[in-house]
PDB file of all heavy atoms in Angstrom:
ATOM      1  N   SER K 817     139.653  96.813 130.044  1.00  0.00           N
ATOM      2  CA  SER K 817     138.489  96.009 130.384  1.00  0.00           C
ATOM      3  C   SER K 817     137.991  96.258 131.801  1.00  0.00           C
ATOM      4  O   SER K 817     138.788  96.501 132.716  1.00  0.00           O
ATOM      5  CB  SER K 817     138.859  94.466 130.235  1.00  0.00           C
ATOM      6  OG  SER K 817     137.812  93.677 130.550  1.00  0.00           O
ATOM      7  N   GLU K 818     136.637  96.172 131.993  1.00  0.00           N
ATOM      8  CA  GLU K 818     136.032  96.417 133.323  1.00  0.00           C
ATOM      9  C   GLU K 818     136.107  95.162 134.190  1.00  0.00           C
ATOM     10  O   GLU K 818     135.868  95.200 135.379  1.00  0.00           O
ATOM     11  CB  GLU K 818     134.564  96.848 133.151  1.00  0.00           C
ATOM     12  CG  GLU K 818     134.457  98.205 132.446  1.00  0.00           C
ATOM     13  CD  GLU K 818     132.985  98.638 132.290  1.00  0.00           C
ATOM     14  OE1 GLU K 818     132.115  97.837 132.734  1.00  0.00           O
ATOM     15  OE2 GLU K 818     132.793  99.648 131.740  1.00  0.00           O
ATOM     16  N   LYS K 819     136.277  94.000 133.592  1.00  0.00           N
ATOM     17  CA  LYS K 819     136.349  92.760 134.331  1.00  0.00           C
ATOM     18  C   LYS K 819     137.405  91.837 133.714  1.00  0.00           C
ATOM     19  O   LYS K 819     137.865  92.088 132.613  1.00  0.00           O
ATOM     20  CB  LYS K 819     134.965  92.013 134.345  1.00  0.00           C
ATOM     21  CG  LYS K 819     134.400  91.732 132.969  1.00  0.00           C
ATOM     22  CD  LYS K 819     133.033  91.116 132.974  1.00  0.00           C
ATOM     23  CE  LYS K 819     133.122  89.706 133.575  1.00  0.00           C
ATOM     24  NZ  LYS K 819     131.781  88.990 133.373  1.00  0.00           N
ATOM     25  N   GLU K 820     137.952  90.843 134.494  1.00  0.00           N
ATOM     26  CA  GLU K 820     139.022  90.058 134.097  1.00  0.00           C
ATOM     27  C   GLU K 820     138.632  88.942 133.131  1.00  0.00           C
ATOM     28  O   GLU K 820     139.271  88.704 132.145  1.00  0.00           O
ATOM     29  CB  GLU K 820     139.731  89.438 135.356  1.00  0.00           C
ATOM     30  CG  GLU K 820     140.414  90.563 136.204  1.00  0.00           C
ATOM     31  CD  GLU K 820     141.202  89.839 137.364  1.00  0.00           C
ATOM     32  OE1 GLU K 820     141.161  88.625 137.423  1.00  0.00           O
ATOM     33  OE2 GLU K 820     141.814  90.579 138.102  1.00  0.00           O
ATOM     34  N   GLU K 821     137.538  88.249 133.406  1.00  0.00           N
ATOM     35  CA  GLU K 821     137.193  87.118 132.658  1.00  0.00           C
ATOM     36  C   GLU K 821     135.956  87.335 131.802  1.00  0.00           C
ATOM     37  O   GLU K 821     135.033  88.016 132.145  1.00  0.00           O
ATOM     38  CB  GLU K 821     136.932  85.882 133.557  1.00  0.00           C
ATOM     39  CG  GLU K 821     138.172  85.423 134.267  1.00  0.00           C
ATOM     40  CD  GLU K 821     137.907  84.086 135.001  1.00  0.00           C
ATOM     41  OE1 GLU K 821     136.721  83.752 135.338  1.00  0.00           O
ATOM     42  OE2 GLU K 821     138.884  83.360 135.325  1.00  0.00           O
ATOM     43  N   HIS K 822     135.953  86.729 130.579  1.00  0.00           N
ATOM     44  CA  HIS K 822     134.857  86.833 129.668  1.00  0.00           C
ATOM     45  C   HIS K 822     134.660  85.474 128.973  1.00  0.00           C
ATOM     46  O   HIS K 822     135.627  84.696 128.875  1.00  0.00           O
ATOM     47  CB  HIS K 822     135.100  87.928 128.594  1.00  0.00           C
ATOM     48  CG  HIS K 822     135.257  89.302 129.184  1.00  0.00           C
ATOM     49  ND1 HIS K 822     136.463  89.724 129.678  1.00  0.00           N
ATOM     50  CD2 HIS K 822     134.369  90.273 129.327  1.00  0.00           C
ATOM     51  CE1 HIS K 822     136.325  90.943 130.128  1.00  0.00           C
ATOM     52  NE2 HIS K 822     135.037  91.326 129.948  1.00  0.00           N
ATOM     53  N   GLU K 823     133.450  85.253 128.471  1.00  0.00           N
ATOM     54  CA  GLU K 823     133.191  84.025 127.779  1.00  0.00           C
ATOM     55  C   GLU K 823     133.297  84.128 126.304  1.00  0.00           C
ATOM     56  O   GLU K 823     132.668  84.965 125.678  1.00  0.00           O
ATOM     57  CB  GLU K 823     131.751  83.537 128.158  1.00  0.00           C
ATOM     58  CG  GLU K 823     131.667  82.887 129.481  1.00  0.00           C
ATOM     59  CD  GLU K 823     130.373  82.117 129.631  1.00  0.00           C
ATOM     60  OE1 GLU K 823     130.276  80.961 129.169  1.00  0.00           O
ATOM     61  OE2 GLU K 823     129.472  82.700 130.281  1.00  0.00           O
ATOM     62  N   ILE K 824     134.270  83.343 125.673  1.00  0.00           N
ATOM     63  CA  ILE K 824     134.464  83.350 124.221  1.00  0.00           C
ATOM     64  C   ILE K 824     135.224  82.153 123.833  1.00  0.00           C
ATOM     65  O   ILE K 824     135.879  81.506 124.718  1.00  0.00           O
ATOM     66  CB  ILE K 824     135.251  84.674 123.831  1.00  0.00           C
ATOM     67  CG1 ILE K 824     135.119  84.938 122.315  1.00  0.00           C
ATOM     68  CG2 ILE K 824     136.696  84.607 124.318  1.00  0.00           C
ATOM     69  CD1 ILE K 824     135.600  86.333 121.929  1.00  0.00           C
ATOM     70  N   ASP K 825     135.190  81.759 122.601  1.00  0.00           N
ATOM     71  CA  ASP K 825     135.978  80.664 122.078  1.00  0.00           C
ATOM     72  C   ASP K 825     137.450  81.158 121.998  1.00  0.00           C
ATOM     73  O   ASP K 825     137.780  81.948 121.105  1.00  0.00           O
ATOM     74  CB  ASP K 825     135.482  80.221 120.705  1.00  0.00           C
ATOM     75  CG  ASP K 825     136.149  78.916 120.190  1.00  0.00           C
ATOM     76  OD1 ASP K 825     137.448  78.954 120.107  1.00  0.00           O
ATOM     77  OD2 ASP K 825     135.463  77.964 119.943  1.00  0.00           O
ATOM     78  N   SER K 826     138.327  80.710 122.863  1.00  0.00           N
ATOM     79  CA  SER K 826     139.654  81.217 122.996  1.00  0.00           C
ATOM     80  C   SER K 826     140.508  80.861 121.766  1.00  0.00           C
ATOM     81  O   SER K 826     141.332  81.720 121.337  1.00  0.00           O
ATOM     82  CB  SER K 826     140.342  80.668 124.259  1.00  0.00           C
ATOM     83  OG  SER K 826     140.407  79.225 124.191  1.00  0.00           O
ATOM     84  N   HIS K 827     140.281  79.681 121.160  1.00  0.00           N
ATOM     85  CA  HIS K 827     141.095  79.305 120.009  1.00  0.00           C
ATOM     86  C   HIS K 827     140.813  80.212 118.830  1.00  0.00           C
ATOM     87  O   HIS K 827     141.692  80.808 118.198  1.00  0.00           O
ATOM     88  CB  HIS K 827     140.841  77.854 119.673  1.00  0.00           C
ATOM     89  CG  HIS K 827     141.407  77.458 118.328  1.00  0.00           C
ATOM     90  ND1 HIS K 827     142.800  77.322 118.150  1.00  0.00           N
ATOM     91  CD2 HIS K 827     140.844  77.189 117.101  1.00  0.00           C
ATOM     92  CE1 HIS K 827     143.001  77.041 116.822  1.00  0.00           C
ATOM     93  NE2 HIS K 827     141.845  76.903 116.213  1.00  0.00           N
ATOM     94  N   ILE K 828     139.504  80.411 118.537  1.00  0.00           N
ATOM     95  CA  ILE K 828     139.116  81.232 117.386  1.00  0.00           C
ATOM     96  C   ILE K 828     139.540  82.641 117.629  1.00  0.00           C
ATOM     97  O   ILE K 828     140.126  83.370 116.780  1.00  0.00           O
ATOM     98  CB  ILE K 828     137.611  81.083 117.095  1.00  0.00           C
ATOM     99  CG1 ILE K 828     137.337  79.679 116.569  1.00  0.00           C
ATOM    100  CG2 ILE K 828     137.159  82.191 116.104  1.00  0.00           C
ATOM    101  CD1 ILE K 828     135.867  79.456 116.286  1.00  0.00           C
ATOM    102  N   PHE K 829     139.271  83.190 118.847  1.00  0.00           N
ATOM    103  CA  PHE K 829     139.568  84.553 119.143  1.00  0.00           C
ATOM    104  C   PHE K 829     141.121  84.785 119.018  1.00  0.00           C
ATOM    105  O   PHE K 829     141.617  85.773 118.471  1.00  0.00           O
ATOM    106  CB  PHE K 829     139.079  84.953 120.526  1.00  0.00           C
ATOM    107  CG  PHE K 829     139.431  86.352 120.965  1.00  0.00           C
ATOM    108  CD1 PHE K 829     138.834  87.427 120.409  1.00  0.00           C
ATOM    109  CD2 PHE K 829     140.439  86.529 121.950  1.00  0.00           C
ATOM    110  CE1 PHE K 829     139.117  88.718 120.820  1.00  0.00           C
ATOM    111  CE2 PHE K 829     140.750  87.827 122.368  1.00  0.00           C
ATOM    112  CZ  PHE K 829     140.125  88.878 121.773  1.00  0.00           C
ATOM    113  N   SER K 830     141.920  83.815 119.555  1.00  0.00           N
ATOM    114  CA  SER K 830     143.366  83.938 119.532  1.00  0.00           C
ATOM    115  C   SER K 830     143.882  83.946 118.089  1.00  0.00           C
ATOM    116  O   SER K 830     144.741  84.659 117.732  1.00  0.00           O
ATOM    117  CB  SER K 830     143.986  82.767 120.335  1.00  0.00           C
ATOM    118  OG  SER K 830     145.404  82.774 120.188  1.00  0.00           O
ATOM    119  N   THR K 831     143.279  83.077 117.219  1.00  0.00           N
ATOM    120  CA  THR K 831     143.672  82.980 115.845  1.00  0.00           C
ATOM    121  C   THR K 831     143.403  84.286 115.135  1.00  0.00           C
ATOM    122  O   THR K 831     144.243  84.809 114.343  1.00  0.00           O
ATOM    123  CB  THR K 831     142.847  81.866 115.109  1.00  0.00           C
ATOM    124  OG1 THR K 831     143.135  80.640 115.780  1.00  0.00           O
ATOM    125  CG2 THR K 831     143.323  81.800 113.694  1.00  0.00           C
ATOM    126  N   ILE K 832     142.274  84.890 115.393  1.00  0.00           N
ATOM    127  CA  ILE K 832     141.844  86.186 114.777  1.00  0.00           C
ATOM    128  C   ILE K 832     142.852  87.262 115.153  1.00  0.00           C
ATOM    129  O   ILE K 832     143.415  88.007 114.299  1.00  0.00           O
ATOM    130  CB  ILE K 832     140.453  86.583 115.138  1.00  0.00           C
ATOM    131  CG1 ILE K 832     139.429  85.598 114.540  1.00  0.00           C
ATOM    132  CG2 ILE K 832     140.167  88.013 114.717  1.00  0.00           C
ATOM    133  CD1 ILE K 832     137.966  85.836 115.001  1.00  0.00           C
ATOM    134  N   ILE K 833     143.119  87.448 116.476  1.00  0.00           N
ATOM    135  CA  ILE K 833     143.981  88.600 116.955  1.00  0.00           C
ATOM    136  C   ILE K 833     145.432  88.296 116.507  1.00  0.00           C
ATOM    137  O   ILE K 833     146.133  89.247 116.129  1.00  0.00           O
ATOM    138  CB  ILE K 833     143.886  88.653 118.495  1.00  0.00           C
ATOM    139  CG1 ILE K 833     142.416  88.982 118.852  1.00  0.00           C
ATOM    140  CG2 ILE K 833     144.754  89.830 118.984  1.00  0.00           C
ATOM    141  CD1 ILE K 833     141.768  90.129 118.137  1.00  0.00           C
ATOM    142  N   ALA K 834     145.877  87.052 116.514  1.00  0.00           N
ATOM    143  CA  ALA K 834     147.286  86.693 116.191  1.00  0.00           C
ATOM    144  C   ALA K 834     147.470  87.070 114.702  1.00  0.00           C
ATOM    145  O   ALA K 834     148.541  87.617 114.348  1.00  0.00           O
ATOM    146  CB  ALA K 834     147.575  85.201 116.415  1.00  0.00           C
ATOM    147  N   ASN K 835     146.497  86.753 113.817  1.00  0.00           N
ATOM    148  CA  ASN K 835     146.641  87.110 112.429  1.00  0.00           C
ATOM    149  C   ASN K 835     146.659  88.656 112.214  1.00  0.00           C
ATOM    150  O   ASN K 835     147.400  89.106 111.372  1.00  0.00           O
ATOM    151  CB  ASN K 835     145.511  86.496 111.603  1.00  0.00           C
ATOM    152  CG  ASN K 835     145.851  85.084 111.126  1.00  0.00           C
ATOM    153  OD1 ASN K 835     146.512  84.845 110.146  1.00  0.00           O
ATOM    154  ND2 ASN K 835     145.397  84.138 111.882  1.00  0.00           N
ATOM    155  N   LEU K 836     145.853  89.407 112.985  1.00  0.00           N
ATOM    156  CA  LEU K 836     145.860  90.797 112.838  1.00  0.00           C
ATOM    157  C   LEU K 836     147.157  91.397 113.314  1.00  0.00           C
ATOM    158  O   LEU K 836     147.715  92.311 112.662  1.00  0.00           O
ATOM    159  CB  LEU K 836     144.624  91.427 113.682  1.00  0.00           C
ATOM    160  CG  LEU K 836     143.315  91.112 113.157  1.00  0.00           C
ATOM    161  CD1 LEU K 836     142.235  91.678 114.141  1.00  0.00           C
ATOM    162  CD2 LEU K 836     143.024  91.703 111.769  1.00  0.00           C
ATOM    163  N   VAL K 837     147.723  90.914 114.419  1.00  0.00           N
ATOM    164  CA  VAL K 837     148.982  91.426 114.949  1.00  0.00           C
ATOM    165  C   VAL K 837     150.108  91.037 113.967  1.00  0.00           C
ATOM    166  O   VAL K 837     151.042  91.859 113.692  1.00  0.00           O
ATOM    167  CB  VAL K 837     149.265  90.826 116.348  1.00  0.00           C
ATOM    168  CG1 VAL K 837     150.701  91.254 116.770  1.00  0.00           C
ATOM    169  CG2 VAL K 837     148.259  91.384 117.308  1.00  0.00           C
TER     170      VAL K 837
END
Side-chain angles (χ1 to χ4, degrees):
S817 178
E818 295 180 0
K819 54 184 291 190
E820 292 185 358
E821 292 188 340
H822 298 84
E823 283 195 79
I824 195 167
D825 187 303
S826 59
H827 170 70
I828 291 179
F829 179 72
S830 175
T831 302
I832 292 171
I833 303 304
N835 273 277
L836 292 177
V837 173

